[in-house]
């Protein structure tokens, strides 16, 4: 049977998502919340981040980002602060609760990357990532 690339990518994404969600549940989060915590933590000292940055990074619609971020506010994981640059914008900041979870979140993603590298090898992993970026850019046009 001939395999389709799109189907293989979807199946792989499902595996990654299930593994992520399983671990996230063990620390009281969802997989998406873990991804957003890691993203916000990675820019903590560099620049303010806004909802539009989350939308762009995760390629999600504004309404989806709004729902996810509102739930994270309700769970006490992030706060929205009025921007010092533009009062219409709300900066996203991790709460102390999320910062305490950040170490576990980061360790999960490091371990996941290492496992992928063990399976594929460092060079093949880098080539695959480059090819996936190239595909995404070409298909988004």
């Amino acid at each position: 049977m001939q395999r389709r690339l799109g189907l293989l990518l979807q199946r792989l994404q499902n595996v990654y998502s299930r593994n992520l969600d399983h671990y996230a549940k063990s620390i009281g989060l969802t997989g998406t919340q873990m991804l957003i915590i890691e993203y916000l933590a990675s820019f903590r000292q560099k620049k303010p981040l806004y909802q539009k940055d989350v939308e762009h990074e995760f390629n999600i619609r504004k309404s989806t980002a709004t729902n996810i971020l509102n739930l994270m506010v309700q769970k006490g994981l992030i706060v929205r602060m009025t921007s010092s640059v533009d009062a219409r914008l709300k900066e996203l900041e991790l709460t102390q609760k999320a910062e305490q979870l950040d170490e576990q979140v980061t360790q999960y993603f490091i371990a996941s990357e290492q496992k992928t590298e063990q399976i594929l090898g460092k060079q093949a992993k880098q080539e695959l990532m480059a090819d996936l970026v190239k595909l995404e850019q070409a298909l988004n046009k």
Side-chain angles (χ1 to χ4, degrees), residues 56-68:
H56 181 263
E57 177 68 17
F58 296 99
N59 194 20
I60 56 176
R61 291 185 174 92
K62 183 176 183 176
S63 59
T64 302
T66 298
N67 290 336
I68 293 167

Side-chain angles (χ1 to χ4, degrees), residues 130-141:
D131 287 342
L132 291 173
V133 168
K134 187 189 313 181
L135 263 175
E136 179 189 19
Q137 290 171 346
L139 295 174
N140 264 335
K141 291 181 179 178

Side-chain angles (χ1 to χ4, degrees), residues 1-135:
M1 176 172 103
Q2 186 179 15
R3 297 263 177 152
R4 303 260 186 255
L5 177 61
L7 177 60
L8 288 172
L9 290 172
Q10 183 62 48
R11 289 172 56 110
L12 182 60
Q13 178 57 37
N14 288 344
V15 171
Y16 268 96
S17 292
R18 271 194 298 274
N19 290 342
L20 176 61
D21 287 336
H22 178 73
Y23 180 78
K25 187 176 180 182
S26 76
I27 60 172
L29 299 173
T30 66
T32 303
Q33 290 168 347
M34 278 182 58
L35 289 163
I36 291 173
I37 288 171
E38 184 197 34
Y39 175 66
L40 295 176
S42 69
F43 286 95
R44 190 176 301 137
Q45 305 300 328
K46 297 175 185 125
K47 68 174 188 167
L49 292 174
Y50 307 95
Q51 178 171 325
K52 65 182 174 66
D53 297 312
V54 171
E55 294 166 13
H56 181 263
E57 177 68 17
F58 296 99
N59 194 20
I60 56 176
R61 291 185 174 92
K62 183 176 183 176
S63 59
T64 302
T66 298
N67 290 336
I68 293 167
L69 296 173
N70 284 344
L71 283 172
M72 291 182 76
V73 168
Q74 289 173 12
K75 285 186 75 170
L77 297 169
I78 61 170
V79 291
R80 295 176 191 252
M81 312 268 295
T82 301
S83 170
S84 57
V85 177
D86 184 342
R88 297 171 297 178
L89 297 176
K90 302 290 187 226
E91 294 178 18
L92 303 174
E93 291 189 16
L94 296 176
T95 63
Q96 186 174 7
K97 178 180 179 179
E99 288 185 7
Q100 290 171 344
L101 291 167
D102 181 45
E103 179 66 27
Q104 291 170 280
V105 168
T106 299
Q107 288 306 313
Y108 172 84
F109 288 117
I110 289 171
S112 178
E113 289 289 317
Q114 288 173 338
K115 184 174 183 177
T116 301
E117 201 167 285
Q118 286 174 344
I119 294 166
L120 296 177
K122 187 174 186 171
Q123 182 68 29
K125 178 187 164 213
Q126 289 173 341
E127 290 171 4
L128 175 61
M129 290 174 64
D131 287 342
L132 291 173
V133 168
K134 187 189 313 181
L135 263 175

